[in-house]
Amino acid sequence: SGWPSGYESPTTESLTKGLPDDPRRLELVRELHARKTALFQELIGSGVVPLRPGVLRVVDEAIAAEVPLAVCSTSNEAAVRTLVETLMGPERYARFSFFCGDVVPRKKPQPDVYNLAAQEMGLDKSECVVIEDSGIGNQAAKSAGVACLVTKSTYTEEEDFSGADRIVSELGEPGGGGECVMLADLRALL
């Protein structure tokens, strides 16, 4: 069944929102999720998980131009905040709004998180550009009516990015030999 020893015979096989209704299985799922989050935060804090090329440069360009910034993620908010603060520093972290976890009932590929971010930040969606790395994130952005630049990753390079306004392998760095996405390039997508 895929469940560890002692969990093979649940009181019920039914699920609610993808989680088991069986109390013992549900508690195991919660414990494992909490452990996974703690391990991820440890990895981030240790510096093992680096930012991709060009991310800090684009963030710094946006901050210098007073462009509002947000992270819209289905991941746990504490993990996302730790990631941003650890990898970008407290000054950059302070410039972000966060829309994470269960802030909306319907997750990507539904557009809800992008609609909420634009609304809460007081932005017209025609002024927003999303940088995504997954097919479902691109679908969510496009369903929200927002411009989307996709940076493919090793995990998502084979996904469907139909409708993306631009697809790159990374944001890149000036003189780095590959593509280099600048703030002006993002504005050109509007």
Side-chain angles (χ1 to χ4, degrees), residues 111-180:
D112 301 23
V113 71
Y114 292 123
N115 291 335
L116 178 67
Q119 178 185 346
E120 292 290 318
M121 296 174 75
L123 300 170
D124 187 288
K125 288 187 279 184
S126 67
E127 303 173 295
C128 300
V129 176
V130 168
I131 299 174
E132 262 295 350
D133 68 350
S134 71
I136 63 168
N138 175 58
Q139 289 174 18
K142 298 315 297 177
S143 292
V146 178
C148 184
L149 176 128
V150 171
T151 61
K152 294 193 278 186
S153 74
T154 55
Y155 303 108
T156 64
E157 64 187 354
E158 300 301 319
E159 293 184 13
D160 179 9
F161 299 116
S162 298
D165 295 282
R166 185 170 173 191
I167 302 170
V168 298
S169 58
E170 62 182 41
L171 297 177
E173 296 292 350
E179 280 189 281
C180 180

Side-chain angles (χ1 to χ4, degrees), residues 34-79:
R35 181 69 181 132
K36 177 197 71 121
T37 299
L39 289 170
F40 184 64
Q41 288 180 306
E42 286 176 28
L43 285 173
I44 294 165
S46 72
V48 172
V49 180
L51 282 173
R52 295 179 65 194
V55 171
L56 285 181
R57 178 186 49 73
V58 170
V59 167
D60 288 343
E61 280 188 85
I63 290 170
E66 299 184 9
V67 173
L69 297 167
V71 176
C72 298
S73 175
T74 57
S75 296
N76 173 281
E77 184 169 346

Side-chain angles (χ1 to χ4, degrees), residues 2-96:
W3 288 93
S5 178
Y7 293 90
E8 304 93 348
S9 301
T11 57
T12 176
E13 291 282 348
S14 64
L15 303 174
T16 301
K17 292 186 178 179
L19 295 172
D21 287 338
D22 177 78
R24 289 188 63 241
R25 282 185 169 184
L26 180 59
E27 183 58 30
L28 176 64
V29 169
R30 287 183 174 145
E31 288 172 9
L32 291 172
H33 187 266
R35 181 69 181 132
K36 177 197 71 121
T37 299
L39 289 170
F40 184 64
Q41 288 180 306
E42 286 176 28
L43 285 173
I44 294 165
S46 72
V48 172
V49 180
L51 282 173
R52 295 179 65 194
V55 171
L56 285 181
R57 178 186 49 73
V58 170
V59 167
D60 288 343
E61 280 188 85
I63 290 170
E66 299 184 9
V67 173
L69 297 167
V71 176
C72 298
S73 175
T74 57
S75 296
N76 173 281
E77 184 169 346
V80 172
R81 286 180 175 274
T82 298
L83 181 76
V84 172
E85 186 165 22
T86 302
L87 297 180
M88 294 189 187
E91 295 82 17
R92 290 181 187 101
Y93 169 86
R95 300 298 297 265
F96 280 88

